[in-house]
Amino acid sequence: MLRAWFFNLLALIGACLATLVATAAPAYAQAGTVGKPVTVCVLRAAPGMTAAALIRTPGKFDCKTPQARFGPGDYWAISEPLDFDGKGQRLGVRVLSVWQKSMTLYAVYADNKVASIQTDVHAATRNIQLGAIVQRWLPRRDVPVVRLLWHVEGSINMRGILIAPTIATGSEAALSNTIMAALYGGFGGLCLALLLYNLGLTRALRQNYLPLYCLMLIGLLLYAFSSSGALGWALPDIANTARLRINYVSLSIIGVSAIAFLGHFFEEGVMTARLRALILIASLAVALPSLGIALLAPWGLHVFDLLFTFGFAVLILSIIPILYSAWRHKSPFLWLFVVAWSVPIALAAARTAYNLNFLPYNFWLDNSTIVSMAVEAVLSSLAIAYRILLISRERDEAREQEIAARLLADTDPLTGLLNRRAFLQRAIGRQGNQSLLLIDIDNFKRVNDTIGHDGGDEVLRVVARILRASANAEALVARIGGEEFAVVTACNRPIEPEAILSGFRSGRMPFDLAVTASIGVCNGPLAREIDWKALYRAADRALFEAKAAGRDRVRAAA
């Protein structure tokens, strides 16, 4: 019933997300790489090359070889002739932010005038747009731009020298920033809310996987803040390469905390020693290259980036044996993880393939971490809530079992009254004078001989009911021997012993057998164990006197 409810809730959320994506699709088309795409051809830079000479000889450029195959170095890139009537408009040339030392843009106008704009690592930050797009505004002129030329120095060229170049109007660029601000702002607000929610759960429940999930959310917030370009808006003097270092570190925090979260999410027995070793290896495979980039880049950046990508591939593949182990152990939490994490894992695999240049660049694939983790964050929080609900139910059941076990330990199984141990534990220490009644069934052996032991057991149960009916709410009623019972009550709230005997006489016994009892009564303190012994001896003597006087009567200690 509970699982069906949770699946219905997930389906509802999935439908809402699908509706959101469908309605936002036109807006997505106007975000990120907006404007008119520009096709470029590449030429490795050599001494003596000038912009003027290269503009006149565009045939030297390679238009067929994928840019990533050229490797790191200095390059010239030229656009195909532009068919863009943007005269008099504010135009911006946009390219994806990548690791490079500097980039000089040359804009050639129809009247053969050339405007040049230089962008170093600091200028890149000052001109970064949301979506990590570096945009440089061209001078406004009454003639159109017919060609663009870039001189890129110190390009690491891991996935391209110029990625997704476009030329956009001012209104297109502004609309893109507005849409991206809404998307990133919504994601940041969601992560912050979930972080506070899970921090509260961490303090309340002390589940060891919750701090890891909180760490992952912190990594997501840092990555979104840095990779979106918002960090450049907040710190315009920071070098763009420093922002890219933060991207690597925050991604490693996300990956390591996510795999550690998975290692602690399942119940005991799922994670073997080998799987824990695998998690450690995968975590190191991601963390060490990111530290190398943060501390040593640009030295060895190409190698570190490749190792970082392979580290994420190892991390993704390490999930498979963990899920297999959870399946073998029939973990009730396996389906929760699969529902919440299938999309992020699939997109992480696609992102890894892109980093290895197996897939072409796509703006939304490049930003898939934000989209997929937004979905994951919502579903995982629901999964965590469901898991916590199961844990709370298990705790409630355990508490009920503990209470039941304690009751069984304190209760006589035949009559349901307190047993001798529990009776003494509760009776000794009561404040004020107490009245102790010892009740013994007369000739009980003859009862057993007459109607059998089963019949005798039923007589004992009837006697227990009579005593409970005669006692007040504060009284303690117990079976302290075979056919011997005891009642303790405060002297200011006495129980009339004759009323008990009357209950015996009028109560219906098995086989309509006549059963009587004798009662000994004594009053006194019960603060200490020595008081109990004295009170019991006196009541027992009174009980013996009642038996000697002919049974079916009450005697009180002098």
Side-chain angles (χ1 to χ4, degrees):
M1 179 71 179
L2 183 62
R3 183 173 294 189
W5 167 85
F6 191 73
F7 269 124
N8 289 335
L9 182 58
L10 287 179
L12 177 60
I13 291 173
C16 293
L17 289 172
T19 303
L20 178 62
V21 170
T23 55
Y28 288 172
Q30 302 174 69
T33 53
V34 296
K36 184 170 180 143
V38 176
T39 303
V40 298
C41 304
V42 177
L43 176 66
R44 184 178 287 275
M49 289 182 175
T50 64
L54 292 173
I55 289 170
R56 291 193 300 269
T57 57
K60 293 181 178 181
F61 289 79
D62 187 340
C63 301
K64 295 182 179 179
T65 305
Q67 294 181 22
R69 292 187 184 178
F70 286 95
D74 298 343
Y75 292 93
W76 291 88
I78 194 168
S79 72
E80 296 289 342
L82 300 177
D83 181 18
F84 192 88
D85 186 13
K87 58 184 179 180
Q89 297 187 61
R90 194 184 190 202
L91 299 178
V93 177
R94 299 160 61 91
V95 294
L96 184 68
S97 168
V98 295
W99 195 297
Q100 58 193 16
K101 182 179 179 182
S102 66
M103 175 180 63
T104 304
L105 170 65
Y106 299 90
V108 183
Y109 290 86
D111 59 1
N112 292 324
K113 298 289 185 180
V114 178
S116 65
I117 304 170
Q118 187 173 20
T119 307
D120 61 12
V121 291
H122 294 283
T125 302
R126 288 191 293 270
N127 291 277
I128 202 163
Q129 308 299 304
L130 292 182
I133 303 292
V134 177
Q135 177 180 271
R136 299 311 308 262
W137 295 109
L138 299 179
R140 291 190 183 186
R141 300 209 45 211
D142 292 332
V143 293
V145 179
V146 295
R147 196 181 285 272
L148 298 173
L149 177 72
W150 291 267
H151 184 208
V152 179
E153 297 178 89
S155 173
I156 299 301
N157 191 16
M158 292 175 289
R159 282 165 279 281
I161 302 162
L162 284 177
I163 300 179
T166 63
I167 184 167
T169 64
S171 59
E172 289 174 326
L175 181 58
S176 172
N177 278 337
T178 301
I179 294 172
M180 295 304 296
L183 293 176
Y184 285 120
F187 175 77
L190 175 65
C191 280
L192 186 59
L194 291 175
L195 176 61
L196 296 175
Y197 164 71
N198 284 283
L199 283 174
L201 291 179
T202 300
R203 183 168 182 179
L205 300 173
R206 293 179 174 84
Q207 294 292 316
N208 53 10
Y209 60 86
L210 285 173
L212 296 169
Y213 191 75
C214 291
L215 180 61
M216 187 189 73
L217 290 171
I218 292 171
L220 281 170
L221 282 169
L222 179 61
Y223 178 72
F225 185 60
S226 175
S227 67
S228 66
L231 176 63
W233 289 16
L235 302 172
D237 294 327
I238 191 174
N240 190 51
T241 50
R243 185 187 64 81
L244 294 173
R245 294 175 202 267
I246 294 172
N247 285 357
Y248 281 100
V249 172
S250 56
L251 273 175
S252 70
I253 292 173
I254 295 169
V256 171
S257 56
I259 195 68
F261 165 79
L262 175 58
H264 290 82
F265 183 71
F266 295 108
E267 64 274 20
E268 290 290 331
V270 172
M271 296 303 299
T272 63
R274 288 185 178 181
L275 289 178
R276 296 193 185 282
L278 179 61
I279 286 178
L280 178 61
I281 292 170
S283 299
L284 292 174
V286 170
L288 293 180
S290 71
L291 288 177
I293 293 171
L295 299 175
L296 303 174
W299 181 86
L301 177 56
H302 212 285
V303 174
F304 281 132
D305 179 80
L306 188 62
L307 291 175
F308 184 76
T309 302
F310 277 119
F312 258 94
V314 172
L315 189 144
I316 293 170
L317 291 174
S318 66
I319 296 173
I320 297 174
I322 296 174
L323 297 184
Y324 177 71
S325 178
W327 175 76
R328 285 189 59 194
H329 284 81
K330 295 181 173 58
S331 171
F333 309 121
L334 176 60
W335 67 273
L336 296 175
F337 184 85
V338 171
V339 168
W341 283 81
S342 56
V343 173
I345 291 172
L347 287 175
R351 177 74 181 271
T352 302
Y354 161 68
N355 288 349
L356 294 171
N357 295 311
F358 294 142
L359 292 176
Y361 171 79
N362 178 278
F363 178 81
W364 292 108
L365 178 60
D366 192 43
N367 286 271
S368 61
T369 303
I370 303 299
V371 177
S372 63
M373 294 310 293
V375 176
E376 182 281 330
V378 173
L379 297 182
S380 276
S381 290
L382 287 171
I384 289 171
Y386 178 74
R387 192 180 192 278
I388 290 169
L389 181 60
L390 293 181
I391 291 172
S392 66
R393 287 195 163 190
E394 290 173 0
R395 287 181 177 177
D396 290 344
E397 290 175 2
R399 192 177 293 112
E400 289 173 2
Q401 291 173 0
E402 181 184 356
I403 293 171
R406 192 180 296 121
L407 287 174
L408 288 174
D410 293 347
T411 304
D412 172 58
L414 178 63
T415 62
L417 301 178
L418 293 175
N419 57 30
R420 184 183 184 88
R421 180 190 61 79
F423 175 75
L424 293 179
Q425 196 174 53
R426 300 184 189 186
I428 298 173
R430 286 167 71 105
Q431 299 301 311
N433 282 345
Q434 304 291 317
S435 178
L436 172 64
L437 287 73
L438 293 182
I439 302 101
D440 188 85
I441 301 174
D442 296 330
N443 300 313
F444 188 68
K445 183 179 183 303
R446 189 167 62 192
V447 171
N448 280 333
D449 292 342
T450 304
I451 60 177
H453 286 284
D454 288 343
D457 289 346
E458 183 59 31
V459 168
L460 293 174
R461 283 191 281 266
V462 173
V463 169
R465 288 196 292 270
I466 292 171
L467 294 178
R468 273 196 294 262
S470 302
N472 55 57
E474 288 79 16
L476 300 177
V477 183
R479 181 188 178 198
I480 59 175
E483 66 270 17
E484 187 175 7
F485 297 82
V487 178
V488 165
T489 184
C491 287
N492 58 1
R493 294 201 64 187
I495 297 173
E496 187 59 50
E498 288 295 341
I500 297 175
L501 294 181
S502 176
F504 272 77
R505 296 171 190 133
S506 60
R508 185 171 182 179
M509 295 291 176
F511 303 101
D512 291 327
L513 190 69
V515 177
T516 62
S518 300
I519 301 177
V521 181
C522 184
N523 298 334
L526 258 179
R528 298 170 300 167
E529 186 174 355
I530 191 171
D531 296 331
W532 157 255
K533 290 180 179 178
L535 203 63
Y536 180 79
R537 282 195 297 269
D540 191 53
R541 283 195 299 269
L543 175 63
F544 181 77
E545 291 174 6
K547 295 280 190 184
R551 298 182 176 86
D552 189 23
R553 65 199 63 220
V554 179
R555 287 290 183 269

